[in-house]
């Protein structure tokens, strides 16, 4: 598309074009003034400026009123559709209809949140929003802020509290943790005692590669330690590990039901107090009022609340 020279428009009052269209419609300075809620002198002055702008009389007096010249006819044919388009853009509210509109969204989340949320979300979209596509990018809590500041995702589903002046974080709910294991490897039945908990080795998910977590801090306050045998940044590998090795893993409670059903894991409350995690939606302020993004956030919010209910 040919670029626009903004300086050309600085010389033009676009309101004059409205006077041109109204004059063409009514063929009378008096009637144009009435329609535009202006005085006749103001319309006459606008017509004078239009004649100077286009170097043409535009309208001449006749027995039928103010008759347009061929130049005025040409201008109206070209300008009227453009101003109608501008009017629609300015005065038609932006809408989004998920049932019919096509849109592709990028969501950021860690692998356990994808495992927990996305099958249900895709099933819901298949039923009620078939033209909506979803792309997921990896976003652990330490990746979420820079990812969103660079607008590389539409929304991030994450845990934590951090934000920045460019972003909005909406807390949805708090949830806790459960300890899981496989009875074929650790022959224990719930409830799990603290002595049993520290007796066996553990697998730990750490996005930063460290071998301790808030759980180890809680154990240390009671003078206890556990051996972390395996550290990984991925939750998805844990069930396979637990099926083959005598390990405990302490994971977000949202994973537990599916893992019990799919991998025949046992589960119990964590036998020592540790803080819950806060689930949040994180988005860039530039997207805050976009109707499609509001729909996406509402859909994610309702899904999380429903799964935690």
């Amino acid at each position: 598309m040919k670029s626009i020279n903004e300086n050309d428009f600085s010389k033009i009052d676009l309101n004059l074009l409205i006077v041109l269209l109204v004059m063409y419609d009514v063929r009378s300075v008096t009637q144009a003034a009435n329609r535009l809620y202006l005085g006749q002198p103001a319309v006459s002055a606008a017509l004078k400026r239009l004649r100077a702008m286009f170097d043409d009389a535009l309208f001449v007096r006749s027995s039928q009123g103010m008759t347009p010249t061929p130049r005025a006819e040409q201008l109206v044919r070209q300008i009227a559709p453009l101003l109608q388009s501008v009017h629609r853009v300015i005065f038609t509210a932006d809408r989004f209809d998920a049932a019919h509109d096509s849109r592709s969204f990028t969501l950021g989340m860690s692998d356990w949140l994808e495992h927990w949320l996305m099958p249900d979300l895709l099933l819901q979209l298949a039923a009620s929003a078939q033209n909506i596509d979803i792309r997921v990018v990896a976003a652990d809590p330490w990746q979420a802020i820079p990812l969103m500041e660079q607008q590389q995702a539409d929304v991030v589903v994450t845990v934590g509290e951090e934000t920045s002046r460019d972003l909005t974080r909406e807390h949805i709910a708090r949830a806790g943790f459960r300890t899981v294991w496989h009875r074929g490897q650790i022959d224990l039945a719930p409830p799990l005692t603290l002595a049993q908990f520290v007796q066996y080795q553990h697998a730990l998910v750490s996005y930063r590669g460290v071998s301790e977590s808030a759980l180890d801090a809680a154990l240390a306050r009671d003078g206890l330690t556990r051996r972390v045998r395996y550290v990984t940044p991925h939750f998805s590998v844990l069930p396979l590990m637990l099926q083959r090795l005598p390990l405990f893993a302490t994971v977000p409670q949202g994973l537990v039901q599916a893992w019990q059903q799919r991998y025949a894991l046992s589960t119990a409350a964590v036998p020592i107090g540790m803080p819950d995690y806060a689930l949040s939606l994180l988005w860039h302020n530039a997207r805050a009022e976009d109707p499609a993004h509001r729909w996406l956030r509402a859909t994610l919010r309702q899904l999380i609340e429903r799964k935690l209910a």
Side-chain angles (χ1 to χ4, degrees):
M1 183 179 71
K2 185 177 179 180
S3 61
I4 295 173
N5 186 340
E6 295 83 358
N7 291 328
D8 287 344
F9 284 97
S10 67
K11 307 168 188 176
I12 299 172
D13 181 354
L14 295 182
N15 289 316
L16 296 176
L17 301 181
I18 303 298
V19 174
L20 172 67
L21 297 182
V22 173
M23 276 291 300
Y24 182 83
D25 190 30
V26 301
R27 312 293 171 95
S28 163
V29 172
T30 301
Q31 292 184 44
N34 291 337
R35 181 180 291 190
L36 294 169
Y37 299 100
L38 296 173
Q40 288 188 37
V43 174
S44 296
L47 184 56
K48 181 179 180 180
R49 293 175 62 191
L50 282 165
R51 286 165 170 163
M53 183 189 304
F54 295 112
D55 193 21
D56 188 89
L58 297 178
F59 297 92
V60 296
R61 295 186 184 278
S62 71
S63 58
Q64 286 79 37
M66 299 292 285
T67 300
T69 66
R71 177 63 166 148
E73 298 271 5
Q74 177 194 36
L75 288 170
V76 169
R77 284 197 303 270
Q78 294 176 331
I79 292 172
L82 297 177
L83 290 183
Q84 289 168 358
S85 296
V86 171
H87 188 277
R88 283 195 299 271
V89 169
I90 295 175
F91 295 104
T92 301
D94 192 13
R95 291 183 174 87
F96 176 72
D97 181 1
H100 300 100
D101 292 348
S102 297
R103 192 69 177 261
S104 179
F105 293 107
T106 298
L107 303 180
M109 62 188 68
S110 60
D111 71 321
W112 82 264
L113 284 164
E114 182 178 7
H115 182 108
W116 182 49
L117 293 175
M118 289 302 99
D120 287 331
L121 179 62
L122 265 292
L123 186 63
Q124 178 180 333
L125 296 183
S128 61
Q130 297 185 11
N131 296 322
I132 304 300
D133 298 329
I134 300 295
R135 172 176 172 261
V136 172
V137 295
D140 65 49
W142 284 269
Q143 294 173 309
I145 299 297
L147 185 78
M148 286 309 309
E149 287 180 333
Q150 297 166 26
Q151 299 195 59
Q152 295 180 4
D154 294 294
V155 178
V156 168
V157 186
T158 185
V159 300
E161 304 289 342
E162 295 81 7
T163 187
S164 77
R165 67 180 183 180
D166 297 334
L167 309 179
T168 296
R169 179 184 289 272
E170 179 188 359
H171 292 288
I172 305 300
R174 300 191 69 85
F177 295 87
R178 301 277 294 180
T179 297
V180 292
W181 69 96
H182 196 281
R183 289 285 294 275
Q185 298 296 332
I186 299 177
D187 189 16
L188 294 175
L192 191 62
T193 69
L194 188 54
Q196 293 167 334
F197 187 74
V198 297
Q199 177 184 352
Y200 289 89
Q201 298 172 355
H202 292 249
L204 170 67
V205 172
S206 172
Y207 298 116
R208 295 176 296 171
V210 298
S211 298
E212 294 184 346
S213 69
L215 178 54
D216 296 281
L219 290 171
R221 287 192 290 271
D222 283 2
L224 299 171
T225 61
R226 63 172 178 164
R227 181 183 173 192
V228 176
R229 176 76 180 277
Y230 182 74
V231 179
T232 175
H234 306 295
F235 282 91
S236 56
V237 73
L238 293 183
L240 304 179
M241 290 287 183
L242 301 184
Q243 284 182 325
R244 304 184 67 178
L245 292 167
L247 297 170
F248 286 130
T250 298
V251 300
Q253 67 182 55
L255 290 173
V256 172
Q257 182 178 8
W259 283 8
Q260 283 182 288
Q261 296 171 350
R262 189 167 302 156
Y263 302 106
L265 298 183
S266 297
T267 180
V270 184
I272 192 166
M274 60 181 300
D276 291 344
Y277 56 90
L279 274 170
S280 303
L281 301 180
L282 191 68
W283 65 87
H284 198 282
N285 294 334
R287 303 171 187 261
E289 300 305 320
D290 178 74
H293 286 267
R294 290 202 302 266
W295 171 86
L296 176 64
R297 298 194 300 266
T299 300
L300 290 169
R301 182 187 309 113
Q302 293 163 7
L303 176 61
I304 292 170
E305 290 172 344
R306 185 170 70 247
K307 290 185 69 66
L308 286 175

